[in-house]
Amino acid sequence: MYRTHNCGALRISDVGQEVVLSGWNQASRDFGGMTFVDLRDRYGITQLVFNIDDNKELAEKAQKLGREYVLRVEGVVRERSNKNPNRPTGDIEIEVRSMDILNGSKTPPFTIEDETDGGDDLRMKYRYLDIRRAPVRENLIFRSKLAIETRKYLSDNDFVEVETPNLIKSTPEGARDFVVPSRMNPGQFYALPQSPQTFKQLLMVAGMDRYFQIVKCFRDEDLRADRQPEFTQIDCEMAFVTRDEVLDTFEGLTKHLFKETLGIELPDFPKISYDEAMTRYGSDKPDTRFGMEFVEMNDFAKGQGFGVFDNSELVVGIVAKGIASEYSNKNLKELTEWMQRPQIGAKGLVYVKFNEDGSIKSTVGKFFDDEALVNWGNRMGATPGDIIFALSGEAEKTRKQLNELRLEMGRRLGLMDPKVFNPLWVVDFPLLEWDEESERFHAMHHPFTAPKKEDEQRMLTGDHETMKSLRADAYDLVINGVEIGGGSIRIHDRDLQSKNFDLLGFTKEEAEAQFGFLLGAFEYGAPPHGGIAFGFDRLCAVLNGQNSIRDFIAFPKNNQGRDIMIDAPAPVDQEQLKELHLDLDLENK
Ligand code: ASP
């Protein structure tokens, strides 16, 4: 038998018991006569003790153990004289009677402790060692619990888990597809799903009523800390539902998950429209853990003779509370330069600093006297000690820039408490986005999203300009500035769906070739339906107050989309290419 207990199980009440434990040597400490070994497994760490006076041969064997050796020991539980209150097993230790070395180990390339000296790439290359570390292991256990609780909640609410295929035809979610060559169909390719969108809609036509799947999705996009080429969604669809029924169901799921995993009872989620989110925060995923909301300044800052403002569509600002004494000219210059970096692209940054002593310092002091600036303060809620930051320009762009500043100030002022969770629904997104460059409309969510009922007629009959103002029955769940998920009520009428493809620039033939199966299904009694998908990896990270989704994925890819442990992607040999009809003679191209 390898073990009677795991390494996290034994307590003071077990003193005197004879036990067998197996695990890894996390660390050993040799004090001449006494050798201590920390034996680790998934469940915890138990201290082993070897005494040279009791068994010389065994103690010497213990002295020679390398890190990460795999051991099986037999011994007796005894009370520790020097207790470790930080460990659940810290009151006891095992007086070892015999030990088998089940396997040796090379010295690991980084320390297998909570805080490691291993850089990202090294940890990814030896991910199996990284997962031995408690923080990574706990993340994966957390993820498993989250998946189980998701299944419980959805199953209790009559959702049926249905698997949809991975080898499909491309679904237009807006990203690039990964493609897979077909051996049996020369020159043809499958695409890996960006999401099971069309399949889940077909399941509604099929009468499944409520579907869910915890499902891998694939998008060939440039990567960031919160993106992976393959990621997991909690994907759902419901028939005969209104928007609010979908939102209630998934608010319920979110509350359930917070309660079961963190013990947190979330209050009801506020709903704000896309327009309101953009006006108040300059973002469709606002972090509402802190205020610093936008104040539009057109009516008191424009028309006062300052050309830059006067020629701008929008003057808008925020108030940073209580930072006037901290922010010297040098700091403000540095902040201005930060805003002028190409990533943000602000032309400049206007500030008004209300010093504690009542004096005022401003970049626009030449154009606005103190009385005018005090008026700004009154209108914006700034008092001595505060700084107003303002930007001006084209409305949409300026709001986006100010959003970056708001978030940066939130970070700098420590207003983003990782223990606070502020969920909200953003609703009523625009249906279509006009792209100046390609001179065409894109679907803001995806091409299957329905316009709001009251906009349906305008969509069917309106002119080009009208299309820009259509609202969709689309919604996002946002928590602490992170988009957790999104969905929509879908079009279930063939004509409306055709009209949408038409607006998106598909010819009739293209629409038929790509989506004929869906349009066809809509002719056989498609019920009204809608759904949502949550980013599962992101949800894991957000619940843990972390940004990077990588540490919640057992075997993630790096920023170049590589798995550096198995070294993928990799070339395949000529034979395989030939079989796939891909034996392109690259050298002679
Ligand atoms: N398929 C959508 C997505 O992946 C979610 C949905 O509309 O249900 O974002």
Side-chain angles (χ1 to χ4, degrees):
M1 189 202 264
Y2 285 110
R3 53 188 176 188
T4 54
H5 297 79
N6 63 52
C7 295
L10 295 166
R11 299 286 182 274
I12 195 84
S13 54
D14 298 305
V15 166
Q17 266 204 63
E18 287 191 21
V19 296
V20 185
L21 299 183
S22 290
W24 288 263
N25 172 19
Q26 158 123 347
S28 52
R29 295 173 300 282
D30 185 11
F31 297 109
M34 298 273 254
T35 299
F36 296 96
V37 168
D38 282 342
L39 192 70
R40 181 195 67 235
D41 67 9
R42 194 187 104 191
Y43 307 93
I45 293 177
T46 298
Q47 174 162 291
L48 311 178
V49 50
F50 301 81
N51 191 335
I52 205 142
D53 295 334
D54 294 343
N55 186 334
K56 186 156 182 284
E57 197 187 334
L58 185 61
E60 280 171 358
K61 194 168 161 192
Q63 281 168 5
K64 291 196 206 101
L65 291 173
R67 267 158 60 199
E68 299 306 312
Y69 273 41
V70 188
L71 310 174
R72 174 190 178 278
V73 297
E74 292 184 20
V76 177
V77 184
R78 73 177 196 201
E79 184 169 359
R80 261 168 87 160
S81 53
N82 192 0
K83 298 197 171 48
N84 180 352
N86 300 323
R87 249 182 220 169
T89 62
D91 287 350
I92 56 99
E93 61 194 0
I94 311 298
E95 193 180 294
V96 178
R97 300 274 159 83
S98 74
M99 172 172 71
D100 298 321
I101 297 177
L102 301 177
N103 217 336
S105 169
K106 289 210 247 176
T107 305
F110 49 84
T111 50
I112 313 242
E113 313 239 339
D114 290 7
E115 294 291 332
T116 181
D117 53 358
D120 273 357
D121 274 5
L122 207 57
R123 286 176 44 214
M124 294 306 149
K125 180 159 171 140
Y126 298 93
R127 189 63 162 171
Y128 46 89
L129 297 180
D130 200 27
I131 296 174
R132 285 186 193 167
R133 295 173 50 235
V136 185
R137 178 181 73 226
E138 291 309 318
N139 285 350
L140 296 183
I141 294 171
F142 181 90
R143 183 185 175 107
S144 162
K145 177 147 194 226
L146 203 64
I148 289 166
E149 288 302 332
T150 300
R151 290 200 160 91
K152 260 196 215 157
Y153 174 91
L154 291 173
S155 152
D156 285 348
N157 282 277
D158 290 331
F159 284 79
V160 178
E161 188 165 15
V162 181
E163 287 170 87
T164 52
N166 272 342
L167 295 176
I168 66 165
K169 201 158 79 164
S170 91
T171 42
E173 305 268 354
R176 232 172 272 118
D177 286 317
F178 282 101
V179 296
V180 180
S182 164
R183 178 182 58 80
M184 288 190 287
N185 302 276
Q188 298 196 345
F189 297 81
Y190 300 100
L192 301 180
Q194 293 185 33
S195 88
Q197 185 61 36
T198 49
F199 289 96
K200 66 175 173 175
Q201 292 192 239
L202 292 170
L203 286 170
M204 295 304 104
V205 180
M208 285 307 287
D209 202 66
R210 291 181 167 207
Y211 141 94
F212 88 100
Q213 186 178 192
I214 298 183
V215 63
K216 270 291 174 70
C217 302
F218 306 85
R219 296 183 190 176
D220 188 2
E221 292 177 298
D222 294 334
L223 305 180
R224 298 191 307 238
D226 63 346
R227 273 208 196 140
Q228 284 275 306
E230 53 177 304
F231 59 97
T232 304
Q233 286 190 339
I234 305 172
D235 189 49
C236 304
E237 197 74 6
M238 306 164 82
F240 303 114
V241 279
T242 59
R243 178 196 80 182
D244 285 347
E245 285 166 306
V246 178
L247 299 194
D248 285 348
T249 307
F250 291 92
E251 186 165 323
L253 169 65
T254 312
K255 286 177 176 170
H256 174 83
L257 295 177
F258 269 81
K259 178 136 188 280
E260 294 306 319
T261 59
L262 301 182
I264 291 177
E265 306 248 9
L266 291 176
D268 290 346
F269 303 0
K271 293 186 187 89
I272 73 170
S273 72
Y274 171 87
D275 283 345
E276 191 182 338
M278 295 311 287
T279 313
R280 286 169 58 188
Y281 304 99
S283 164
D284 59 2
K285 44 179 164 75
D287 189 333
T288 54
R289 279 175 296 179
F290 63 102
M292 229 189 270
E293 287 188 24
F294 289 11
V295 184
E296 304 212 342
M297 303 165 63
N298 278 7
D299 49 315
F300 54 91
K302 275 174 75 161
Q304 312 284 318
F306 179 41
V308 176
F309 282 1
D310 292 349
N311 297 325
S312 293
E313 184 183 357
L314 178 70
V315 185
V316 58
I318 51 173
V319 178
K321 286 274 169 213
I323 66 162
S325 57
E326 257 172 77
Y327 270 68
S328 63
N329 289 350
K330 194 166 147 238
N331 298 137
L332 290 163
K333 187 162 170 263
E334 175 262 330
L335 193 63
T336 307
E337 284 164 5
W338 188 87
M339 288 295 290
Q340 288 170 326
R341 291 171 314 143
Q343 295 93 310
I344 299 184
K347 287 212 187 68
L349 178 64
V350 168
Y351 63 80
V352 185
K353 187 169 162 188
F354 296 95
N355 292 316
E356 299 281 4
D357 64 7
S359 63
I360 299 176
K361 189 162 185 316
S362 173
T363 43
V364 290
K366 266 200 238 136
F367 306 95
F368 297 91
D369 59 18
D370 276 9
E371 196 187 329
L373 295 175
V374 167
N375 180 41
W376 286 22
N378 291 339
R379 299 286 295 262
M380 299 177 71
T383 50
D386 300 346
I387 300 183
I388 291 175
F389 295 107
L391 295 174
S392 63
E394 190 260 314
E396 201 183 333
K397 208 159 119 193
T398 306
R399 288 195 178 109
K400 283 193 179 144
Q401 292 168 346
L402 193 61
N403 164 51
E404 297 293 340
L405 181 65
R406 177 179 174 270
L407 293 176
E408 178 65 13
M409 292 315 295
R411 267 188 291 272
R412 290 188 185 195
L413 301 181
L415 302 175
M416 297 168 164
D417 184 345
K419 297 245 153 25
V420 171
F421 296 98
N422 267 24
L424 70 142
W425 292 107
V426 179
V427 300
D428 298 349
F429 279 81
L431 182 72
L432 303 163
E433 257 178 320
W434 178 251
D435 182 34
E436 287 294 346
E437 242 168 69
S438 57
E439 299 210 314
R440 39 171 294 208
F441 282 116
H442 292 290
M444 184 113 175
H445 186 48
H446 53 55
F448 315 110
T449 292
K452 289 186 78 75
K453 241 289 76 18
E454 61 266 28
D455 281 358
E456 219 174 273
Q457 266 317 308
R458 293 201 303 135
M459 178 174 171
L460 286 168
T461 55
D463 61 7
H464 182 82
E465 275 314 298
T466 308
M467 298 308 147
K468 293 186 184 168
S469 68
L470 299 174
R471 296 287 124 178
D473 236 336
Y475 32 79
D476 276 355
L477 174 64
V478 175
I479 302 179
N480 296 357
V482 179
E483 182 196 325
I484 295 298
S488 58
I489 296 298
R490 326 296 184 190
I491 298 172
H492 65 280
D493 172 78
R494 186 186 166 124
D495 293 340
L496 201 59
Q497 187 65 67
S498 296
K499 172 76 189 179
N500 205 26
F501 285 139
D502 182 36
L503 285 171
L504 295 171
F506 289 85
T507 63
K508 274 214 157 42
E509 293 69 35
E510 283 166 347
E512 195 55 48
Q514 278 206 48
F515 304 109
F517 63 96
L518 188 71
L519 292 169
F522 282 177
E523 291 176 3
Y524 288 95
H529 60 286
I532 195 164
F534 281 4
F536 186 62
D537 316 279
R538 254 187 225 177
L539 187 62
C540 287
V542 165
L543 277 156
N544 286 281
Q546 295 189 22
N547 292 329
S548 171
I549 62 173
R550 253 184 234 167
D551 279 342
F552 293 87
I553 296 174
F555 299 104
K557 302 203 167 34
N558 74 3
N559 275 345
Q560 278 72 49
R562 298 198 70 82
D563 182 324
I564 50 181
M565 182 180 66
I566 61 170
D567 198 17
V572 295
D573 63 35
Q574 277 300 324
E575 268 317 292
Q576 211 172 345
L577 286 177
K578 217 187 247 162
E579 219 172 46
L580 295 168
H581 321 283
L582 289 175
D583 51 337
L584 310 172
D585 191 353
L586 290 177
E587 264 163 40
N588 293 326
K589 283 247 151 169

